[in-house]
Structures are given as structure tokens and as C-alpha cells.
Amino acid sequence: MEKAKWWQDAAVYQIYPRSFYDSNGDGTGDLRGITEKLDYIASLGVDVIWSSPFFVSPWADGGYDVADYRNIDPAFGTMEDFEEMIAGIHKRGMKFMMDFVGNHTSDEHAWFQAALSDKNSPYHDYYIFRKGKDGKEPSNWASIFGGSAWEYVPELDEYYLHLFAKKQPDLNWENPAVVKEVLDILHFWADKGVDGYRLDAINYLYKEPDFPDVEPMPGSIYGFATEHYANKPKVHEHFRTLHDKVMAPRGLTTVAEVAYLNEETARGYADPARGELDALYPFDLLNVDQDGYDKFSPLPLDLPKLKKALSHWQGVMHDHGWLALFIGNHDQPRALSRFGDEEHYPARSAKLLANAMYFLQGTPYIYQGDELGMTNPHYDSLSRFRDVEAINALNEGLARGESEEHWLRLLNDRSRDGGRAPFSWSSEDNAGFTKGTPWMDPCANFKDINAEAEDKDPDSVLNFYRRLLKVRKGLSSVIYGDTEFLEMEDPELMVYKRGSDDEMLISVNNFSGNERSYKLPEDFEDAKLLISNCGDPVIKDGKAELRPWEAFTLIKSK
Ligand code: GLC
């Protein structure tokens, strides 16, 4: 068996910097805040920190609208603060992964400003401008954040394409000058010591240039045109360029945020033999509790559907690439509120989610606060929400005549703000996140669920995560093993086996408030307990008597 690459036995901690820790009392998290908390992060046993963007940005999309790729936004600090942070990360033996937003810039970026001011500027062709059609947009493509994907510029009598918010014009990767700029930026940060890149929305780089109209969504004149811009064959070329010109020569690792993937494309991106990307982060894996791609049409968790999706991706990537494993991120509501039972079994179900996800094959990505069992903030007013996607959806809903109460519930359950509320550090004011006025209100339950209290409690979610990352490390079944899901149709149990040449393990998870009996496969009857979320499992005659939300993992040599 080929020796694992370092990132295949690593765990990653994701920071959303604005909400992590505020060191100077201005109400927003900052880079010094991260530096001050590095010992905490290292204590989890993670190997890598990935931070969401902290570059100069008008913050129209949470920093994913970059106005200057080479400078830190003053709200987050200075270049010296960055250098100090990365030195502190390296000193503790960890690595740093940078978020690179390459599909679009902010409309306030100097390139776009130049493009707007003069059709003949070389920067005009950095973006995707088109003439209107019959007095309307060039096509009826919908923006991912609602409304049209085209914005009219009267001075130019042209429209520009924005797959995301209208303040995020898409870059034209078919212009070699754009690719050259991107390569320079990636080298710039590599020179500053970053160890890898998380590539944002990167499978949208190539758009079919004729922009055909698409089937409108129900009740709209616009339609999702992903078939014309997601995972088009030409993006492979761009990935190879990034790999050959930056990542390989500089020894950087990559993880790509990708959606709408099929098996062939996924392998095409991540098969090591092809030299494109190291690992995939398939964002739509968590679309299992909603109607299609509409996150504001929630459905209860369909566990068989989640198991099918996980099992599918495990099979597709085994020996053909590498996966990021995640239960939450800055684009999702809190995993515990969504998939666990925050009312009756908050800590136990938060631990279950980690046990269920992180013994699969791939690199664990832990989103800040999930290691505490943080929940959605459950705000009592619509004015508390900040995210562009949430606010656009709210406005569209209200315009359709839907009630504010309905949208308060929906945003509390489903919006990206759920995962973006400030990190609960302690029971002090503002959850110990800031001495000032926080840019977003913290979770109401921070007095009970916070890092300081959990650090001291051996039974906390935090200490469960620490144990899990420790016992998982170096296991051949975890790194190399194949994965087989059992009890596929069971709506409450998630059980899977992993097996390598010399070892096998089984992860058993009761996703319900019910007691359940589960007959272990015979080959596990003499296996040893690796980790559990509520004391020793009760196993009699090969049958586990599972308590509500009980989870454990057993292991044995072959
Ligand atoms: C990715 C980011 C998300 C952002 C979008 C546009 O999906 O994770 O936060 O809004 O790209 O950059």
C-alpha cells in the first residue's frame, strides 16, 4: 500500500475569523484573536488550520467578496499580525491553509472598477460582460443568491455576470491575464508561508460562452444554469495549471469546494495520477434535509439518504482521490441543531455526530464551535441576521406575502448565520468573544456551552473531540480501509465497517431518542472499544443494547 500523504492522516480546524475571537474590543474577530487562541486549537489535536477569508472586503458576502487579494482587511489587523499568526501556527507544529476565492472578486476590486470605467481597458476582459437580449438580460440564469445572475451597467450598456451576489462579479478565466494574476497571488501567499489552499467555488471557473436560456424555476423567470457552468471539462485545464505552476513546485496541498459532482468528474479532479487537486469538499453532501437545492425548503433528516450519499462518496473516492469529512461549516446551520437533539441530548448527540462522521475515509474538517456542541443562536428578531443569502431569501419570501414569523423560524433553522454566531469562549459577557459590542449576537446558551467550562469537564463534547482525534490518528483502517455501510435502510441507525489489510473497525450510531437493539456482525464480537459517547456500551451475546443517541466505535486486528 502506498504510504499516506501527510494530509491523509491530518485533521483540519476551520476558523470563521470574524466570529472567532476579538482581541481589540471592536466587536469583530481578528488575526491577533486567532494567535491568542492557538494553544486552544492545538489542544484539540488538529494538524491544520483553515481560515475563511480576511482580505480587504466590503463584506457583502462574509469576506468571500475580495477587494484586494494581497492585503489584510484592517478589521482583521495588519500583515504583521498575519506573519505573527502563521509563525505561531508553525511553532506549534501545525500548518495553515488559506481560503482562495478565485471565481469572482468584489465589485470594489480595482480590476472591476477599471473595467467599469472604460470598455477598452484591459481589465474589462477580466470579467464577463455581455450585451442584453431584446432589452433584457443576456440570459435568464439565476444567481445562487437569488434574482438574476446579470447586472446592468448603464454607462457601458452591458451586463456583467455574477453567479453569487451582484457585488461579486465573476472573473473571466479564459483571459490568460486573469490566470497569470491568480498564479501571482497564490505565489505571494506561498512566499508568506501558507501550506495549502482551500479553493472556493472553484468548479465554476468555466462558463459556456453562449449563455443559453434555461428552464425557469417554479414561480420565477430565472433558472439554475449549473449544467452550463458547473464542472465543465475545461476546468480540468485550469486545475492542472494551478497544480503545475504553483501547488506542486511549492509543495502546497489543495482542497476544493465542489458541488454538483458526478463520479467521473470527482475522480477526474482528485485522482493523484492526474495532478489536479488533492482533496474534494463536496458541499452538497449536506443537502439531505431539504427539498432539492433549496435550503429554505427544509425537510426532516432522511438518514437513509445521508447514508447513501456518504456511502456513495466513500466508494467513489476510495483509491481514486481524497475526501474532506465535515458536519458543518460557515455556510451551514449548526450540525447539532440540525441532525442531533439539542433539546434532550445535546452533548451526547453532538458527540455522536463526530463519531458518525470522523471514522470515515478522509480528512476530518472541524468547524469552530462544533467541538463544543454549539447550537444555532435562535434569535428572537429578524434584525439579528446578517448574511446576504438569508436577507435576499427573506426579502423574496416577504414579497411573496409570507409571514415574518415563518421567516424567523426558517432563518433560525436554516440560514448560514446559524454557524456564524460568535464562538462561545466562556460564561462572561458576550460569551467571552469580545469586550465590545459583537457584530452578531452570541448564542443564548453560552453560559452552559462554552470552551472554558468544557475544558475542565472530562465528559464534555470538547474532550470527546480531543479523544477522538487522538485515537483516530495513525489507524490503518481509518487511513487506508474500505468502507461498508450496514443497515442501509434503517431510519435511526448509522453503522459502517472499515477494513484495511491488518485491522477493522465498526462505527455504531443511534440517531434517535429511542432505545435500539443492534446485533453486531459476528467478526466484531471480540473487538475492543475505541471510543464511546455514554460510557461502556452494553453488549450481550453479540447484541448491543443502544441507549438514545448512543454512539461507539470498536476496533480489532485481523
Ligand atoms: C463558497 C463559500 C461561501 C460563499 C461562496 C461565494 O460557497 O463557502 O461562503 O458565499 O462560495 O464565494
Side-chain angles (χ1 to χ4, degrees):
M1 205 170 301
E2 211 190 314
K3 199 172 160 300
K5 304 264 192 343
W6 71 263
W7 38 267
Q8 294 180 316
D9 192 23
V12 180
Y13 189 70
Q14 185 196 346
I15 292 180
Y16 191 67
R18 203 167 191 189
S19 301
F20 190 57
Y21 184 61
D22 173 19
S23 72
N24 62 0
D26 67 357
T28 62
D30 44 45
L31 299 188
R32 279 180 166 273
I34 298 176
T35 305
E36 284 183 31
K37 297 295 186 184
L38 287 178
D39 284 335
Y40 167 79
I41 301 171
S43 81
L44 288 166
V46 296
D47 309 271
V48 183
I49 294 176
W50 149 33
S51 173
S52 287
F54 39 71
F55 313 101
V56 174
S57 163
W59 210 261
D61 178 23
Y64 284 86
D65 47 322
V66 178
D68 178 351
Y69 287 96
R70 286 185 171 79
N71 280 301
I72 311 291
D73 194 293
F76 292 112
T78 61
M79 192 58 91
E80 287 80 63
D81 295 338
F82 174 81
E83 284 159 3
E84 206 180 304
M85 176 185 84
I86 202 158
I89 292 171
H90 289 155
K91 196 174 100 198
R92 288 166 180 81
M94 295 186 288
K95 297 186 190 283
F96 182 68
M97 225 166 170
M98 185 96 145
D99 213 316
F100 181 69
V101 188
N103 177 67
H104 43 266
T105 68
S106 161
D107 64 343
E108 297 183 26
H109 194 290
W111 301 338
F112 193 69
Q113 290 301 314
L116 286 184
S117 67
D118 178 4
K119 245 185 215 177
N120 299 316
S121 152
Y123 291 106
H124 187 262
D125 196 33
Y126 272 39
Y127 295 89
I128 301 170
F129 284 95
R130 287 289 185 279
K131 286 275 170 225
K133 215 171 62 189
D134 312 325
K136 289 198 308 236
E137 294 97 339
S139 71
N140 72 340
W141 289 17
S143 148
I144 293 168
F145 289 157
S148 170
W150 295 99
E151 182 69 11
Y152 184 59
V153 183
E155 296 76 22
L156 302 177
D157 188 26
E158 284 178 334
Y159 292 78
Y160 66 85
L161 181 76
H162 60 90
L163 293 181
F164 292 91
K166 68 174 178 224
K167 282 184 71 62
Q168 293 170 294
D170 280 56
L171 282 167
N172 174 18
W173 277 65
E174 299 321 294
N175 178 352
V178 168
V179 178
K180 162 112 189 18
E181 297 272 12
V182 166
L183 296 174
D184 288 350
I185 293 164
L186 297 173
H187 278 296
F188 173 85
W189 291 105
D191 290 343
K192 299 238 170 246
V194 313
D195 302 288
Y197 283 103
R198 178 261 187 192
L199 301 166
D200 182 71
I202 204 74
N203 57 334
Y204 300 154
L205 295 184
Y206 180 80
K207 288 94 182 166
E208 285 177 358
D210 46 346
F211 298 101
D213 278 334
V214 293
E215 182 71 25
M217 291 176 284
S220 171
I221 50 171
Y222 305 115
F224 275 118
T226 40
E227 62 186 296
H228 300 294
Y229 65 75
N231 305 305
K232 304 313 290 181
K234 222 172 156 199
V235 291
H236 290 290
E237 268 177 44
H238 294 312
F239 291 167
R240 277 196 292 273
T241 305
L242 298 180
H243 177 269
D244 295 350
K245 298 260 161 67
V246 187
M247 308 305 174
R250 306 299 300 260
L252 305 176
T253 187
T254 48
V255 62
E257 183 208 353
V258 282
Y260 309 106
L261 266 192
N262 64 26
E263 169 172 342
E264 192 195 333
T265 317
R267 289 182 173 173
Y269 289 162
D271 203 317
R274 292 174 54 101
E276 295 190 18
L277 301 165
D278 285 342
L280 303 183
Y281 192 112
F283 246 46
D284 39 12
L285 193 65
L286 293 185
N287 293 352
V288 288
D289 54 350
Q290 66 188 42
D291 191 4
Y293 287 105
D294 181 8
K295 64 159 63 168
F296 295 110
S297 299
L299 297 171
L301 170 63
D302 179 341
L303 194 65
K305 194 166 155 197
L306 177 62
K307 289 187 280 191
K308 244 172 254 151
L310 289 171
S311 158
H312 169 77
W313 282 110
Q314 290 285 293
V316 170
M317 289 284 98
H318 185 62
D319 289 338
H320 293 280
W322 199 254
L323 274 181
L325 306 172
F326 55 96
I327 56 173
N329 58 49
H330 64 291
D331 288 331
Q332 303 288 337
R334 283 287 174 190
L336 167 56
S337 304
R338 182 175 182 190
F339 302 128
D341 183 346
E342 71 164 75
E343 200 184 333
H344 305 101
Y345 295 97
R348 202 189 282 181
S349 61
K351 294 174 195 171
L352 170 139
L353 294 176
N355 186 69
M357 182 58 78
Y358 295 136
F359 287 105
L360 290 169
Q361 187 172 33
T363 299
Y365 277 66
I366 294 152
Y367 179 59
Q368 68 179 44
D370 280 347
E371 79 279 16
L372 304 177
M374 278 182 68
T375 64
N376 286 337
H378 303 301
Y379 292 141
D380 56 6
S381 151
L382 285 169
S383 65
R384 303 271 179 260
F385 292 89
R386 299 279 175 271
D387 179 34
V388 58
E389 181 190 59
I391 289 164
N392 287 353
L394 165 69
N395 290 337
E396 285 175 17
L398 296 182
R400 285 193 299 269
E402 292 158 10
S403 74
E404 292 199 352
E405 295 71 48
H406 170 74
W407 274 91
L408 183 60
R409 245 190 339 267
L410 262 187
L411 295 191
N412 266 319
D413 287 351
R414 305 298 299 177
S415 76
R416 307 197 295 185
D417 282 330
R420 295 180 181 185
F423 189 95
S424 296
W425 286 106
S426 71
S427 58
E428 284 164 35
D429 287 353
N430 298 320
F433 161 72
T434 178
K435 299 252 183 285
T437 308
W439 77 283
M440 263 183 100
D441 287 341
C443 291
N445 56 18
F446 71 83
K447 293 229 183 295
D448 302 317
I449 300 173
N450 66 66
E452 192 180 76
E454 293 198 27
D455 185 54
K456 295 187 199 120
D457 172 5
D459 217 22
S460 64
V461 180
L462 174 60
N463 280 313
F464 181 86
Y465 265 78
R466 289 173 171 154
R467 273 199 300 284
L468 185 148
L469 292 179
K470 196 159 169 190
V471 300
R472 174 189 202 283
K473 203 147 195 80
L475 292 180
S476 75
S477 51
V478 170
I479 305 170
Y480 303 105
D482 55 12
T483 309
E484 186 190 345
F485 276 77
L486 308 172
E487 311 301 323
M488 209 53 170
E489 298 306 323
D490 193 300
E492 297 176 342
L493 298 185
M494 183 191 291
V495 183
Y496 58 85
K497 298 201 285 186
R498 304 282 319 276
S500 61
D501 293 345
D502 55 351
E503 189 179 79
M504 52 204 249
L505 66 72
I506 187 165
S507 167
V508 178
N509 306 279
N510 178 11
F511 271 75
S512 84
N514 301 324
E515 292 177 353
R516 291 288 310 262
S517 284
Y518 173 63
K519 175 97 183 68
L520 290 166
E522 267 166 28
D523 37 358
F524 280 98
E525 283 180 5
D526 56 347
K528 278 198 329 241
L529 181 66
L530 189 63
I531 193 163
S532 67
N533 71 348
C534 49
D536 282 345
V538 179
I539 303 177
K540 275 193 227 116
D541 303 328
K543 216 196 228 178
E545 299 302 337
L546 297 169
R547 289 158 279 201
W549 294 97
E550 177 162 359
F552 59 79
T553 295
L554 307 177
I555 190 159
K556 64 178 271 194
S557 307
K558 270 189 178 163

